């Protein structure tokens, strides 16, 4: 199920990103204008913008999904610190060679002055944290909408020329069988439908997790688990080797 919440201008992610960075560039060009004038300020923001964009997108599209959302907090913090430090160093190089030395004829502050390096890191950090906050809110809103839509809702399952109306909370787990899936219910009933395991997962709320190439489980009904299997009611379901304990938790 797709979210009906639209976070993008004109329904386009690319257009929204372009608008944001243009407005960001104009705003900071105006804010940081000093004695050198607006032209120098906009030039400085122009040479610094690629570094901030790179740091933001590495955080949003790599560190966030690969570490933070998977609750690998140490990995996320180490990766984030690395991005900030490398971004700060790169930004200092651009400022030193393409702004201070070129426009101001001033290299007195030094290429890697600690004060200037910390300032560069703080500026990058402020931008990335702002965008990370927006992204986390977006993910929360999408998940909240999905859960509200499906909580207590009836899932319609087409099987044997009939449409079965099943409360989502009554589904214990789903078993994939080639081009078919079988829904296992609380009352031990089974409903087999023509569908893929991947497509079925997209129709279910977030407390349904894929734990094996052929199984989706409702984690609210898990009785116990170990490294090889997951027990739901009186059924033992195989657990994929790559499935961490975090996947089985709310």
């Amino acid at each position: 199920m797709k979210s009906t919440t639209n976070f993008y201008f004109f329904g386009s992610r690319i257009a929204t990103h372009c608008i944001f960075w243009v407005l960001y560039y104009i705003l900071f060009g105006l804010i940081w204008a000093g004695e050198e004038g607006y032209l120098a300020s906009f030039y400085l923001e122009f040479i610094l913008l690629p570094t901030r964009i790179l740091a933001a997108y590495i955080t949003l599209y790599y560190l966030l999904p690969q570490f933070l959302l998977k609750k690998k907090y140490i990995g996320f913090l180490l990766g984030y610190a690395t991005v900030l430090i490398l971004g700060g160093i790169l930004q200092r190089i651009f400022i030193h060679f393409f702004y201070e030395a070129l426009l101001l004829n001033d290299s007195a502050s030094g290429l890697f002055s600690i004060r200037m390096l910390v300032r560069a890191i703080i500026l990058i950090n402020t931008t990335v944290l702002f965008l990370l906050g927006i992204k986390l809110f977006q993910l929360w809103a999408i998940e909240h909408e999905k859960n509200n839509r499906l909580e207590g809702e009836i899932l319609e399952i087409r099987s044997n020329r009939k449409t079965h109306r099943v409360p989502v909370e009554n589904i214990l787990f789903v078993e994939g069988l080639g081009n078919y899936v079988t829904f296992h219910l609380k009352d031990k009933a089974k409903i087999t439908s023509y569908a893929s395991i991947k497509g079925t997962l997209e129709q279910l709320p977030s407390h349904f997790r894929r734990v094996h190439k052929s199984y989706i489980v409702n984690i609210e009904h898990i009785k116990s688990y170990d490294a090889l299997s997951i027990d739901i009611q009186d059924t033992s379901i195989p657990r994929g080797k790559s499935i961490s304990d975090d996947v089985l938790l709310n």
Side-chain angles (χ1 to χ4, degrees), residues 161-215:
R161 299 182 181 179
K162 292 184 179 180
T163 299
H164 300 264
R165 304 184 76 249
V166 179
V168 171
E169 70 242 18
N170 287 351
I171 301 172
L172 298 177
F173 64 93
V174 183
E175 180 181 6
L177 305 164
N179 293 326
Y180 292 85
V181 294
T182 297
F183 293 83
H184 295 258
L185 309 181
K186 280 183 181 180
D187 59 3
K188 298 186 178 181
K190 300 178 183 179
I191 302 175
T192 299
S193 177
Y194 182 78
S196 68
I197 195 80
K198 180 180 179 181
T200 300
L201 181 61
E202 292 175 352
Q203 298 179 33
L204 296 168
S206 61
H207 56 274
F208 283 82
R209 309 284 170 80
R210 189 170 183 177
V211 297
H212 184 274
K213 65 180 181 179
S214 300
Y215 287 91

Side-chain angles (χ1 to χ4, degrees), residues 70-83:
K70 294 181 179 180
K71 300 182 180 179
K72 299 178 180 178
Y73 301 124
I74 300 299
F76 174 79
L77 291 175
L78 290 175
Y80 188 60
T82 301
V83 167

Side-chain angles (χ1 to χ4, degrees), residues 129-184:
L129 282 182
F130 175 71
L131 291 173
L132 183 60
I134 292 176
K135 187 65 176 180
L136 288 173
F137 173 77
Q138 179 190 25
L139 294 175
W140 172 85
I142 292 173
E143 196 63 34
H144 184 69
E145 178 190 11
K146 180 180 178 182
N147 288 337
N148 284 344
R149 189 169 61 244
L150 291 173
E151 185 177 355
E153 189 171 307
I154 300 297
L155 182 66
E156 294 189 345
I157 305 171
R158 184 71 178 173
S159 177
N160 294 328
R161 299 182 181 179
K162 292 184 179 180
T163 299
H164 300 264
R165 304 184 76 249
V166 179
V168 171
E169 70 242 18
N170 287 351
I171 301 172
L172 298 177
F173 64 93
V174 183
E175 180 181 6
L177 305 164
N179 293 326
Y180 292 85
V181 294
T182 297
F183 293 83
H184 295 258

Side-chain angles (χ1 to χ4, degrees), residues 53-149:
I53 292 176
L54 182 62
Y57 286 161
I58 290 175
T59 301
L60 296 181
Y61 296 109
Y62 177 71
L63 296 179
L64 175 62
Q66 294 299 321
F67 294 96
L68 187 58
L69 295 182
K70 294 181 179 180
K71 300 182 180 179
K72 299 178 180 178
Y73 301 124
I74 300 299
F76 174 79
L77 291 175
L78 290 175
Y80 188 60
T82 301
V83 167
L84 291 181
I85 293 172
L86 293 180
I89 292 173
L90 187 60
Q91 190 162 275
R92 272 304 302 156
I93 292 173
F94 288 157
I95 293 175
H96 183 77
F97 289 106
F98 297 102
Y99 184 74
E100 294 173 342
L102 185 62
L103 293 186
L104 306 181
N105 294 318
D106 177 19
S107 58
S109 61
L111 177 56
F112 293 124
S113 161
I114 297 299
R115 182 177 66 84
M116 299 303 290
L117 182 59
V118 170
R119 181 184 177 186
I121 290 174
I122 291 174
L123 289 173
I124 294 174
N125 180 61
T126 301
T127 300
V128 175
L129 282 182
F130 175 71
L131 291 173
L132 183 60
I134 292 176
K135 187 65 176 180
L136 288 173
F137 173 77
Q138 179 190 25
L139 294 175
W140 172 85
I142 292 173
E143 196 63 34
H144 184 69
E145 178 190 11
K146 180 180 178 182
N147 288 337
N148 284 344
R149 189 169 61 244

